[in-house]
Amino acid sequence: MSFRTSPSAIDYVEDVSPGSGALPPRAWYASSDAKSLSLNGSWRLRVSPTADAEDDSFAEPGFDAGDWAEVAVPGHWVLQGDGAFGLPIYTNHLYPFPVDPPHVPTENPTGDHLHLFDLPEDWPSEGGSVLRFDGVESCARVWLNGTDIGEFKGSRLPHEFTVGHLLKPSGNVLAVRVHQWSAGSYLEDQDQWWLPGIFRDVTLLHRPAGSVLDFFVNASYDHITGEGTLRVDSDVDGRVSVPALDIDVATGETVTAAVQPWSAEVPKLYDGELVTEGERVPLRIGFRTVELADGLIKVNGRAVLFKGVNRHEWHPEKGRALDLETMRADVLLMKRHNLNAVRTSHYPPHPAFLDLCDEYGLWVIDECDLETHGFTEQAWRDNPVDDDRWTPALLDRAARMVERDKNHPSVVIWSLGNEAGTGRGLTAMAEWIHGRDASRLVHYEGDWNSRDTDMYSRMYASHAEIEQIGQELDGGTHKRRELPFILCEYGHAMGNGPGGIADYQELFEKYDRLQGGFIWEWIDHGITHPELGYAYGGDFGEELHDGNFVCDGLVFPDRRPSPGLLEFKKVIEPVGIEGDGTDGTVRVTNKQDFADLSAFAFEWSYQVDGETVESGSLSVPALAPGASADVKLPEPPADHGGGESQWTVRALLAADTAWGPEGHEVAWGQLPGTARALPSIAASDGPVPGDGVITLGPASFDARTGALRTIGGVEVSGLRLDVWRATTDNDEGAEWQTGTRYAELWRKYGLHRMRHRLDGVEVGDDALTVRTRVAPAAWEFGLAAVYRWTSDGNRLKLTVSVGPEGEWPVPLPRLGVRFGLAQADGVKWYGGGPGEGYPDTKSASRLDRWESTVDGLQTPYLRPQENGARADVRWAELGGLRIEGDPEFFLTARRWTTEQLDAAAHLTDLKAVETVWVNLDHALHGIGTGSCGPGVLPQYQLRAEPVEFSFVFSEIS
Ligand code: IPT
């Protein structure tokens, strides 16, 4: 018995096969002379609640869709129409429907799309035509002029259909029925929003007689001879020319010439052309050889160190329907932040993105559109990749990726997919890919024994484990022991962080076998939302969702760099600039793999107390990759008033490049000079008790509680020891993580509700001393905190002594004082900046003088959390006060309390209060990557230990 009106008509939806009617996959290219017609634009849309709610009469010419909505194609219907067509759903790995492959729910939002078009007048009447879809999620059936031409799955892969015989000069009716859920959805369980729609281009391509079909550009480079070898295999015979190399040969013929090789650092492309009887196709040829040699991934004979990122396609309004300028923005941002590699997690990107990678230079791991992660919940039972019935669909996906992208020099590694467990289907994919393209390597993280792959790849492995792998002490199969290692995901950039990436980079640089990694991930997938600013999982009322786990990028949804990107940029600099400042030299190291240093100009400057007193250019030899030199610095300026001094040496682009202007900074380093003199004041003034008030120098205190009230004319409220921070995503951790979930522990032990017991206010001869005990209800551990105030009459010094009592079961989130100021706006400081820095995220924090505002200090993490601390601050000025630290401190100031920050779910929840809350932290607990990965390394944990620190306050006159 059937509950469906026309069951067989929608059988294809749950069919595990890849589809029917589409042409075999082939290379993606833009012809020079064959006509094409973009069918992007405004389309009519009707969304039905089930796959079979409507019959296919809408596909018939003459159907009146006048009352249908209009939507943009490319686009996702759930991101258009203000929710009228349904809403986005975010899940990480859980399928948002019952797991019963290949069945999908009856509630299967189905978008019937209609587009009418005329052929341009000059559309040739001879030859054929092909209709190409570059991406449709998740399953589509297509009719042209009432004829059913086929159906397909494989959302982020191209599908082409022969349509020439169906076209009319005008009034063509293209009908596309798109189902949100299909058997294909089981293969597309990537950690991202589920977004149905025709989200990439739709194009009609004229195919003249004798036109190019498929072709494979084989362009290798022999680093010994310096010669490139070119052979273009083409389904249709023709000629290949490369004018700059004097090449003009038949297809299939091999030719050798002296060439400049392609690399991500020097992405030399040669313009060429493939000419068949009926068509001319431009080629952009990069000569390079990828191989596994000496247990390493080598390109052109050299081992590559990947400084990469995982890139999902994302735009806060358009979802995965990216335009060219957005793709270019990604590539330019990556290049300007020293990245050299992209893993196209977890599907082949829009093909234009790979053109940009070829052109600007990025190593690419091109990943297939495959993830079956949700099967992990049932111990991988019924996993499609281990079920032969699905193998044709897997092979189809592999072929569609490889055939489409095989002519990109930037693509050096094929990846079978992500988080799909293990199984025969994956082995079949790897075998097929190896057979089809021996010129690249194969990657798949789930294959821990590297049975099918050419490298050992892992995600989120700890520093300690990576070090073992680097030392080849990790065991594993014989095959794996011979292979290089990459971390295909690490440094989970969710919220504040990632912490500890400098420590990873040190290991990557130390052990040859470790060939780098790819930060998870490039961009926060926040969706522009009228009330919430940016929406994340759950904000659309999803019954199942994973909250803000979808916001874990190095750039915010609008592509503003987050502090994590700036940290990564510093950590992966192409030039090392180091020294201890003792011998008048700076050690410069070329950390690139291919290029010498000639693209960079070097500058030095000498600062005293953060003010530059002298500067100039530094001549650095054009060191070869991997080479170092000790470069002599000028004599330090003779007299500089005895302040703290340092050298800053910077490497800048010497000339404009395709991706950055002359003067763009790629690397920097600071070398210490004269050490800083700590602030000292003579305790020459003593506290004077008065009527309910104690005065001391410029300050007044509450006589009963010892609480600070004013410093000169500046009102100060609520100054006290503070150990709490609004927990970060990394503090929260994830339930599957083995590392410590600090937030839970901290809350269990009440660190967010510490009580302050006043034990005594002592008015001494030269000091006011306030003794307290700071501890949470229910527990016996605590902190004895003594505030000792002294003054020289003008300045006020606070020395805080902290003594842990009892057994402290957890590290502290922070340790310092916090207080409220009635007003503050502008902020100046001498210390680390310009952006935030925490103990394990402050590589990019540069010692200098900085200026900002209280608002400007905030980092807008989509889910509000601890942020904005400036590290290594010597002194700061805000709200009429100058604060000097002994020793240096972390400075935070915000228009809301930590408690408000902690409670907020979106930035729009943060409402400024009257008071500006300032934290001066002696220390902070590190950040780590516990939201998905190892927690805070021991050296960055903040343990409760006896400690003393001071601040000197004065009113700014
Ligand atoms: C890993 C996934 O591969 C990636 O898609 C993303 O979900 C990431 O985690 C977390 O943001 S899988 C994880 C179980 C290690």
Side-chain angles (χ1 to χ4, degrees), residues 371-604:
E371 174 158 346
T372 63
H373 205 163
F375 286 88
T376 186
E377 295 295 323
Q378 52 197 60
W380 297 102
R381 202 170 41 257
D382 296 335
N383 185 4
V385 309
D386 202 21
D387 177 337
D388 293 339
R389 287 172 296 182
W390 291 84
T391 304
L394 305 182
L395 290 173
D396 179 72
R397 284 169 188 251
R400 284 186 190 281
M401 168 179 74
V402 170
E403 301 301 359
R404 191 194 76 166
D405 297 340
K406 60 184 179 285
N407 294 327
H408 290 283
S410 57
V411 175
V412 290
I413 296 172
W414 300 115
S415 176
L416 304 181
N418 183 58
E419 291 282 9
T422 52
R424 298 190 297 279
L426 289 163
T427 303
M429 290 171 83
E431 279 173 2
W432 184 87
I433 295 174
H434 276 126
R436 174 65 179 139
D437 179 16
S439 73
R440 293 178 174 92
L441 306 178
V442 170
H443 166 270
Y444 173 62
E445 190 273 346
D447 182 9
W448 281 23
N449 290 327
S450 305
R451 190 188 125 134
D452 302 323
T453 58
D454 301 314
M455 64 204 70
Y456 179 28
S457 171
R458 290 278 303 281
M459 45 173 77
Y460 309 107
S462 68
H463 299 78
E465 189 180 0
I466 295 301
E467 177 136 45
Q468 274 205 330
I469 296 171
Q471 293 167 332
E472 297 174 27
L473 298 175
D474 57 306
T477 57
H478 176 73
K479 181 182 174 202
R480 190 179 97 185
R481 286 202 298 276
E482 304 290 303
L483 293 178
F485 179 83
I486 64 162
L487 258 182
C488 71
E489 293 179 26
Y490 80 111
H492 197 249
M494 184 180 184
N496 187 334
I501 55 174
D503 309 80
Y504 274 113
Q505 193 64 26
E506 246 175 62
L507 295 169
F508 295 160
E509 289 177 12
K510 183 162 169 197
Y511 298 103
D512 289 345
R513 188 187 185 194
L514 307 182
Q515 293 199 266
F518 296 76
I519 296 285
W520 186 267
E521 67 175 306
W522 176 241
I523 185 167
D524 286 341
H525 309 211
I527 296 179
T528 305
H529 188 283
E531 285 91 46
L532 302 173
Y534 289 114
Y536 50 74
D539 290 336
F540 298 105
E542 302 104 292
E543 66 174 12
L544 207 60
H545 67 83
D546 288 291
N548 67 317
F549 202 64
V550 76
C551 298
D552 49 4
L554 291 176
V555 298
F556 294 106
D558 60 3
R559 293 186 155 69
R560 263 180 306 157
S562 83
L565 181 59
L566 303 178
E567 173 77 1
F568 194 42
K569 177 189 179 189
K570 177 74 180 93
V571 164
I572 58 172
E573 288 173 337
V575 187
I577 299 172
E578 294 150 320
D580 59 11
T582 55
D583 62 358
T585 67
V586 55
R587 189 159 185 81
V588 178
T589 305
N590 181 357
K591 293 187 167 189
Q592 301 174 108
D593 298 321
F594 297 87
D596 67 19
L597 289 187
S598 56
F600 307 128
F602 290 78
E603 283 185 359
W604 65 271

Side-chain angles (χ1 to χ4, degrees), residues 262 264 267 328 331-332 335 355-362 658-659:
W262 188 96
R328 191 188 307 275
V331 170
L332 291 178
K335 292 293 289 184
D355 289 338
L356 296 169
C357 293
D358 295 343
E359 184 182 331
Y360 292 98
L362 287 166
W659 51 267

